[in-house]
């Protein structure tokens, strides 16, 4: 049972006290605000409530939120970021960076009203030199992948959505299908430039400001505003995309399927090649049950015969798929395929605007030491194939393999950086788009029911969670226990060192 943590607390949108003395709603009053004066003196044209751009600029990716920042600014360089941070610090306005804006809790907009959002969209420089890349923190994953491909056929492990920003993604983990071979995106960062809460522009790496580097690669949203990442890159490998679909499963078969996948993923007698990226997807779909279960992924640097031979023993347990897909792809084709798009231009996020969603998501890490037992997998599959088959919430669940074999994610060691789940076998992400016909509270509790089915039926387990799937309903203390169970004390000390006045701050901060 999840005994120590039984309640989920929904954070309310607390209006900040600064509203009393910072006039937000009238252009006329701008001249009276020392905070806005400070930004203007620094050369900004801050976007504030009442201006026509405000609605668009302050719109979150997750439309479930409607935070009202005191202002948004768009610096052109690190000095501009530092100037903005200093204005926030001088006038007691909390500050947040926005890279791609994809935070599930809209924390780049403060996660509450009255913050300063420092949007990094103008920090989009990209360069490669040998096997390293330098990447401005305003870039999105699609731009990075495209640039690396076009400049020497280089690559990194990172997530699939082209519009996710490198700032949040690399700052707090960043999982992709090549991560078992190359690590999380945070692990591929060699050094970074960061503006700290006092407005200093620092370089941090394992040899310089190493404590800050440790914190900013895993708990990146709490230690300043990263302006640039220098990363290792890898040869862009061809791969084989595979998917085995089981449209004829019911809950019993799906539970056995998850058990078989879990054993296959972590069989000490047959260590799984790190070049294999492996998932399970479960979502409503076209099948007799209304739900479709599929095992899929990408196997880098091998041919189709190797894929067939690798999966033969697993398929012997999963049964005959209702559909099989196997395709050899060059690197950039695999990036497009995983993004669900076509054409290189679809990776260039300067060419088309981002989309939005209205959703709630949360996660579970299943540890190497304690794979799920059948009470847990039975219960969750009964939930998916029962209430899940008819829910109005448009949900999906993804199981991402982190561990198994010699996975680099685990091998770097428990305290390599602030990311605190080096014992993960796999993550589970539970995601639901909430339609207008369903209340937020009902949509959220429907998704939380999935997680409860997993966690409440697994005796005596503590489950960690993934901070890049940040759960908007958590208090700060509960979030720290889930995201940084053994790193909270060290991160709190470092927060006291680098940001004693809590200038950079969101509701789940240290
Ligand atoms: C469609 C979609 C697909 C996804 N797929 C994956 C996936 O495959 N794998 C995976 O691991 N995750 C995935 N994610 C989750 C994603 O990694 C996180 O949402 C990530 O934090 C988003 O980063 P961002 O820069 O776009 O968001 P933002 O909202 O800009 O930032 C997120 C947080 O980091 C802070 N931050 C942003 N930039 C900086 C900076 N430069 N310095 C300091 N703090 C900063 C923000 O203030 C905020 O608190 C996905 C998300 C979505 C919406
Ligand atoms: C950023 O650059 C643009 C274009 O050169 C300029 O108009 C703007 O004033 C600059 N912003 C700041 C804060 O210096
Ligand atoms: C994206 O398109 C813009 C405008 O054409 C171009 O300047 C930029 O170089 C492109 N980005 C990449 C990564 O190719
Ligand atoms: C691999 O399996 C697929 C699907 O069963 C089959 O179509 C393909 O011919 C096989 N490829 C090789 C190289 O064995």
């Amino acid at each position: 049972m999840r005994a120590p943590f039984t309640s989920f607390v929904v954070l309310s949108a607390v209006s900040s006290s600064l509203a009393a003395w910072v006039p937000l709603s009238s252009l006329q009053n701008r001249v009276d605000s020392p905070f806005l004066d400070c930004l203007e003196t620094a050369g900004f044209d801050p976007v504030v409530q009442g201006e026509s751009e405000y609605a668009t600029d302050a719109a979150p990716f997750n439309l479930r939120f409607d935070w009202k920042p005191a202002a948004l600014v768009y610096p052109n360089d690190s000095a501009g970021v530092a100037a903005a941070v200093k204005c926030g610090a001088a006038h007691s306005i909390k500050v947040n960076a926005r890279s791609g804006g994809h935070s599930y809790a809209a924390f780049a907009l403060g996660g509450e009203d009255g913050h300063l959002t420092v949007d990094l969209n103008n920090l989009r420089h990209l360069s490669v030199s040998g096997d390293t890349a330098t990447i401005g923190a305003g870039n999105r994953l699609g731009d990075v992948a495209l640039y690396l491909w076009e400049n020497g056929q280089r690559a990194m492990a990172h997530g699939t959505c082209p519009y996710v920003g490198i700032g949040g993604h690399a700052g707090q983990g960043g999982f992709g299908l090549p991560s078992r071979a190359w690590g999380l995106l945070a692990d591929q960062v060699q050094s970074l430039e960061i503006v700290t809460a006092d407005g200093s522009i620092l370089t941090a790496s394992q040899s310089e400001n190493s404590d800050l580097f440790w914190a900013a690669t895993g708990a990146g949203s709490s230690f300043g505003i990263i302006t640039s990442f220098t990363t290792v890159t890898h040869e862009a490998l061809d791969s084989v995309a595979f998917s085995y679909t089981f449209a004829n499963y019911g809950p019993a078969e799906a539970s056995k399927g998850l058990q078989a996948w879990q054993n296959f993923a972590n069989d000490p007698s047959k260590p799984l090649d790190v070049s294999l990226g492996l998932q399970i997807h479960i979502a409503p779909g076209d099948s007799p049950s209304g739900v479709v279960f599929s095992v899929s992924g990408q196997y880098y640097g091998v041919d189709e015969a190797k894929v067939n031979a690798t999966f033969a023993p697993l398929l012997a347990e999963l049964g005959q798929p209702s559909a099989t897909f196997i395709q050899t792809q060059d690197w950039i084709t695999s990036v497009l395929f995983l993004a669900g798009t076509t054409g290189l231009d679809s990776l260039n996020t300067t060419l088309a605007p981002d989309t939005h969603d209205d959703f709630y998501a949360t996660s579970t890490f299943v540890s190497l030491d304690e794979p799920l037992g059948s009470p847990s997998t039975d219960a969750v599959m009964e939930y998916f194939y029962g209430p899940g088959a008819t829910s109005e919430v448009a949900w999906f669940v993804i199981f991402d393999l982190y561990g198994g074999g010699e996975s680099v994610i685990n091998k770097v060691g428990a305290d390599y950086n602030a990311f605190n789940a080096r014992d993960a076998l796999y993550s589970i992400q539970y995601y639901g788009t909430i339609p207008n016909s369903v209340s937020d509270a009902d949509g959220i509790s429907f998704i939380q029911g999935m997680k409860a089915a997993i966690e409440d039926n697994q005796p005596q387990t503590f489950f960690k969670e993934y901070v890049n799937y940040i759960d908007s309903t958590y208090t700060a203390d509960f979030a720290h226990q889930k995201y940084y169970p053994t790193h909270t004390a060290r991160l709190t000390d470092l927060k006291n060192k680098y940001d004693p006045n809590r200038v950079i701050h969101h509701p789940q901060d240290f």
Side-chain angles (χ1 to χ4, degrees):
M1 298 292 285
R2 203 182 46 233
F5 313 111
T6 45
S7 64
F8 293 93
V9 180
V10 179
L11 298 168
S12 59
V14 183
S15 198
S16 133
S17 56
L18 61 92
W21 61 279
V22 178
L24 302 177
S25 55
S26 149
L27 278 172
Q28 243 179 331
N29 287 337
R30 273 179 63 160
V31 71
D32 299 331
S33 159
F35 167 59
L36 297 178
D37 282 352
C38 179
L39 293 173
E40 283 170 4
T41 303
F44 293 109
D45 180 12
V47 176
V48 299
Q49 226 176 329
E51 290 185 333
S52 56
E53 309 97 297
Y54 186 84
T56 314
D57 287 19
F61 173 72
N62 188 351
L63 297 171
R64 196 159 60 77
F65 300 102
D66 186 25
W67 311 124
K68 300 285 181 221
L72 300 96
V73 292
Y74 296 82
N76 292 332
D77 50 29
S78 310
V81 172
V85 170
K86 283 181 186 167
C87 288
H91 297 282
S92 303
I93 304 285
K94 306 287 185 200
V95 181
N96 304 92
R98 182 165 66 185
S99 176
H102 276 227
S103 162
Y104 288 5
F107 279 176
L109 293 161
E112 60 191 5
D113 289 349
H115 288 215
L116 169 62
T117 292
V118 179
D119 188 292
L120 304 173
N121 194 47
N122 296 333
L123 275 60
R124 281 178 171 259
H125 54 273
L126 284 159
S127 64
V128 283
S129 165
D131 66 357
T132 63
T134 302
I135 301 167
N139 283 290
R140 314 288 185 102
L141 301 181
D143 304 299
V144 173
L146 183 57
Y147 180 87
L148 293 180
W149 172 253
E150 288 180 338
N151 291 273
Q153 304 207 345
R154 305 301 295 175
M156 289 189 297
H158 54 70
T160 55
C161 176
Y163 283 81
V164 162
I166 190 156
H169 196 65
Q172 296 172 110
F175 172 87
L177 287 167
S179 285
R180 295 181 64 251
W182 295 343
L184 303 173
L185 188 52
D187 307 338
Q188 296 161 84
V189 176
Q190 295 180 321
S191 73
L192 43 86
E193 184 188 76
I194 183 167
V195 174
T196 47
D198 63 356
S200 304
I201 302 171
L202 302 180
T203 300
S205 68
Q206 281 181 350
S207 56
E208 195 177 353
N209 296 308
S210 58
D211 56 354
L212 182 59
F213 182 71
W214 182 86
T217 47
S221 67
S222 299
F223 290 91
I225 298 186
I226 300 161
T227 49
S228 177
F229 296 91
T230 299
T231 66
V232 68
T233 66
H234 308 271
E235 180 191 345
L237 295 173
D238 293 353
S239 61
V240 179
F242 58 89
S243 82
Y244 306 104
T245 303
F246 299 89
N248 293 323
Y249 273 9
E253 292 80 12
S255 178
K256 277 190 216 130
L258 174 52
Q259 290 289 331
W261 181 88
Q262 191 179 246
N263 294 338
F264 171 78
N266 194 26
D267 178 351
S269 71
K270 271 195 212 155
L272 208 58
D273 189 342
V274 295
S275 300
L276 180 62
L278 185 62
Q279 303 179 313
I280 294 175
H281 285 248
I282 305 176
D286 188 13
S287 77
S289 66
V291 174
V292 175
F293 177 108
S294 66
V295 171
S296 62
Q298 215 74 26
Y299 200 164
Y300 296 90
V302 302
D303 59 18
E304 286 184 21
K306 173 84 177 175
V307 175
N308 288 357
T310 301
F311 283 98
L314 178 60
L315 291 171
E317 298 203 45
L318 294 176
Q320 180 65 34
S322 53
T324 298
F325 174 84
I326 310 263
Q327 187 179 72
T328 300
Q329 300 173 338
D330 69 17
W331 172 263
I332 205 68
T333 303
S334 73
V335 171
L336 289 163
F337 175 75
L338 292 168
T341 60
T342 52
L344 292 186
D345 277 355
S346 67
L347 297 176
N348 188 327
T349 68
T350 67
L351 302 178
D354 199 358
T355 54
H356 297 275
D357 196 5
D358 188 328
F359 70 102
Y360 169 75
T362 190
S363 66
T364 300
F365 275 124
V366 174
S367 75
L368 287 159
D369 292 344
E370 201 187 344
L372 295 178
S374 52
S376 173
T377 60
D378 284 352
V380 79
M381 296 306 173
E382 275 154 25
Y383 196 93
F384 292 152
Y385 286 81
T390 54
S391 174
E392 288 175 62
V393 174
W395 60 273
F396 65 81
V397 176
I398 301 181
F399 301 68
D400 276 317
L401 185 66
Y402 277 55
E406 298 290 296
S407 174
V408 171
I409 301 176
N410 307 131
K411 281 202 87 174
V412 295
D415 303 319
Y416 180 74
N417 54 28
F419 178 82
N420 205 182
R422 299 293 173 183
D423 58 345
L425 177 56
Y426 57 93
S427 69
I428 309 174
Q429 176 178 205
Y430 320 86
Y431 188 109
T433 298
I434 304 175
N436 290 335
S437 57
V438 176
S439 71
D440 284 355
D442 287 351
I444 289 169
S445 70
F446 169 72
I447 296 296
Q448 287 175 339
M450 300 173 171
K451 178 160 143 170
I454 290 274
E455 298 187 4
D456 292 354
N457 290 291
Q458 180 82 353
Q460 296 187 356
T461 291
F462 174 79
F463 288 99
K464 299 180 184 181
E465 301 184 12
Y466 180 28
V467 66
N468 261 334
Y469 302 150
I470 201 158
D471 188 318
S472 58
T473 67
Y474 290 172
T475 61
D477 282 349
F478 190 74
H480 299 161
Q481 290 169 48
K482 297 312 247 176
Y483 303 136
Y484 305 104
T486 65
H487 290 164
T488 298
R490 186 168 171 191
L491 288 166
T492 305
D493 286 349
L494 289 169
K495 183 77 176 174
N496 290 337
K497 174 176 174 185
Y498 284 102
D499 187 7
N501 298 323
R502 304 305 193 256
V503 173
I504 312 285
H505 184 80
H506 59 67
Q508 295 180 13
D509 220 307
F510 299 96

